Amino acid sequence: MGSEENNFLAALARASGAVGLAALDLSTGEFRATEFRGPDAERRIVEELQQLRPREVLYPSGLPLFDQPPMNSADSQSARNDQAAQTSSSATGAALQQGGGAMRFTETPLEDWVFSPDYAVPLLENKLGVLSLEGFGLQGRPAAATAAGAILHYVRSTQRGTLEHVDRIGFYDRQEYLVLDAVTVRNLELVEPLFANTSSEVTLFRALDATLTPMGKRLLRSWMLRPSIEIGEINRRLDAVEAGVKEFVAREELRRALEGVLDIERLLSRVTLETANPRDVLALCASLNRIPRIKVALARLAAARLAALNGLLDEMSDLRERIENTVVAEPPLTLADGGVIQADVDKELDDLPQPQPQLQAVHCPD
């Protein structure tokens, strides 16, 4: 999984005559949902899956994932053979072929009751701490909300941790951006080369990518695959670019401030999922230490979008200070090795016997 790509877990649900799609990147906390109605709903779902490129798709075991798998006739027999060879597994590899663009993910059927709106929607509301999903754009969209709730059920049953980094969900409508189907994305070489064994440097993404952080790379990739068609949003982006072009010194100051910022989204996810090691915590602290410099640089760039971002940035001084005063400067790789917490932080911990380093035999030369 590259730093510029999301690692989505998706779910499909049917409710009130609509087909809902939700996708969660557990490694970053990005959570989104949409739904479609009408005779072309299934085709539009396939197009969304081709853009999202999830690693795994959840669906009700009592319903087929697709009523008519959209495959070219030349590939349908081989796909059926592949599926038959893996029937012993609860999750099977699927290849959807639409207009020449292939997509592979793992299919995971869940019990039908997981996709009941009466179960899934309250589960989502409880996770987000709300009585209504109206503030997230999901009010009156039961299929999308049900798919999102099914994802939460699956993640809670398979992962440890509190999922505190998953604290919001966004409903998106295809009318808000230019719809690019898989064939167009491939032919334009937006994110992948058209021909096999060709360097990715030929893509438009590589030509434009001057970002310094993994989060920036993912955002650029997302914007390229879903170009906004909202005039106000387009102008706000262009104004921010213009400010950066005109204020060369301030722009370079901002770039220097961003250097060394690691993947904060994925580091935070490891913390909430209880998979972070001591070095991850220090890496998070080092990245957060760049925020004061970033805010100073942003303040010098006269653009409404950048000013809004600056106002949203919290310097997190209390968290940074606590990490710096708690974790040793050079901690071991795992907590089990001991010696992670500084002395005098906790008297009871100081009184505990410390693990002794293992002695290795030394063989003297003859």
Side-chain angles (χ1 to χ4, degrees), residues 76-255:
S76 60
Q77 184 60 45
S78 62
R80 283 195 296 268
N81 292 340
D82 290 343
Q83 184 177 10
Q86 299 179 37
T87 52
S88 60
S89 173
S90 61
T92 62
L96 295 182
Q97 191 79 16
Q98 176 85 350
M103 170 180 55
R104 294 187 177 275
F105 52 76
T106 298
E107 294 180 20
T108 303
L110 301 179
E111 295 184 70
D112 291 352
W113 61 265
V114 175
F115 294 86
S116 168
D118 292 337
Y119 170 77
V121 175
L123 183 64
L124 179 62
E125 292 172 340
N126 291 337
K127 176 65 184 73
L128 300 176
V130 296
L131 297 176
S132 168
L133 296 174
E134 183 177 1
F136 299 95
L138 288 171
Q139 187 70 24
R141 297 185 171 100
T146 298
I151 287 180
L152 290 178
H153 168 87
Y154 180 72
V155 171
R156 285 182 171 180
S157 63
T158 58
Q159 302 286 331
R160 64 180 183 181
T162 59
L163 302 181
E164 290 184 2
H165 66 300
V166 182
D167 58 359
R168 68 193 64 188
I169 185 172
F171 179 85
Y172 66 97
D173 193 327
R174 298 183 80 187
Q175 296 179 353
E176 298 173 355
Y177 58 87
L178 181 64
V179 178
L180 301 175
D181 59 39
V183 175
T184 301
V185 171
R186 185 165 179 256
N187 288 340
L188 292 177
E189 296 187 307
L190 295 184
V191 294
E192 292 182 345
L194 181 59
F195 301 104
N197 302 321
T198 303
S199 172
S200 62
E201 298 301 319
V202 304
T203 63
L204 181 60
F205 174 76
R206 294 299 180 191
L208 295 178
D209 182 24
T211 59
L212 294 169
T213 69
M215 295 83 72
K217 292 182 185 297
R218 289 194 291 271
L219 181 60
L220 175 62
R221 190 177 190 276
S222 176
W223 281 358
M224 289 181 61
L225 293 175
R226 287 181 169 82
S228 176
I229 59 175
E230 184 187 344
I231 297 300
E233 172 64 16
I234 293 172
N235 286 332
R236 285 189 290 271
R237 294 180 187 180
L238 291 176
D239 290 344
V241 172
E242 182 182 9
V245 171
K246 288 183 176 179
E247 300 292 337
F248 173 79
V249 175
R251 184 188 76 215
E252 290 305 304
E253 181 182 342
L254 177 59
R255 289 183 62 83

Side-chain angles (χ1 to χ4, degrees), residues 191-334:
V191 294
E192 292 182 345
L194 181 59
F195 301 104
N197 302 321
T198 303
S199 172
S200 62
E201 298 301 319
V202 304
T203 63
L204 181 60
F205 174 76
R206 294 299 180 191
L208 295 178
D209 182 24
T211 59
L212 294 169
T213 69
M215 295 83 72
K217 292 182 185 297
R218 289 194 291 271
L219 181 60
L220 175 62
R221 190 177 190 276
S222 176
W223 281 358
M224 289 181 61
L225 293 175
R226 287 181 169 82
S228 176
I229 59 175
E230 184 187 344
I231 297 300
E233 172 64 16
I234 293 172
N235 286 332
R236 285 189 290 271
R237 294 180 187 180
L238 291 176
D239 290 344
V241 172
E242 182 182 9
V245 171
K246 288 183 176 179
E247 300 292 337
F248 173 79
V249 175
R251 184 188 76 215
E252 290 305 304
E253 181 182 342
L254 177 59
R255 289 183 62 83
R256 285 194 297 271
L258 287 169
E259 290 178 352
V261 174
L262 303 177
D263 202 330
I264 295 177
E265 289 179 333
R266 287 181 172 162
L267 288 171
L268 283 173
S269 297
R270 292 177 197 170
V271 171
T272 60
L273 292 173
E274 301 178 8
T275 60
N277 61 49
R279 297 180 188 179
D280 287 334
V281 176
L282 281 191
L284 175 62
C285 183
S287 297
L288 296 179
N289 279 335
R290 313 292 292 184
I291 294 179
R293 292 183 57 187
I294 293 173
K295 288 181 66 67
V296 171
L298 282 174
R300 298 182 56 186
L301 293 167
R305 167 59 62 84
L306 300 179
L309 291 175
N310 192 17
L312 292 172
L313 270 179
D314 187 330
E315 293 192 6
M316 309 290 286
S317 56
D318 52 344
L319 175 61
R320 293 188 283 117
E321 182 180 354
R322 184 167 185 178
I323 294 175
E324 290 172 348
N325 293 335
T326 302
V327 183
V328 298
E330 295 183 2
L333 185 59
T334 66

Side-chain angles (χ1 to χ4, degrees), residues 37-48:
R37 296 177 181 273
D40 62 341
E42 188 170 295
R43 175 185 59 81
R44 296 166 73 182
I45 285 289
V46 170
E47 291 175 352
E48 286 300 306

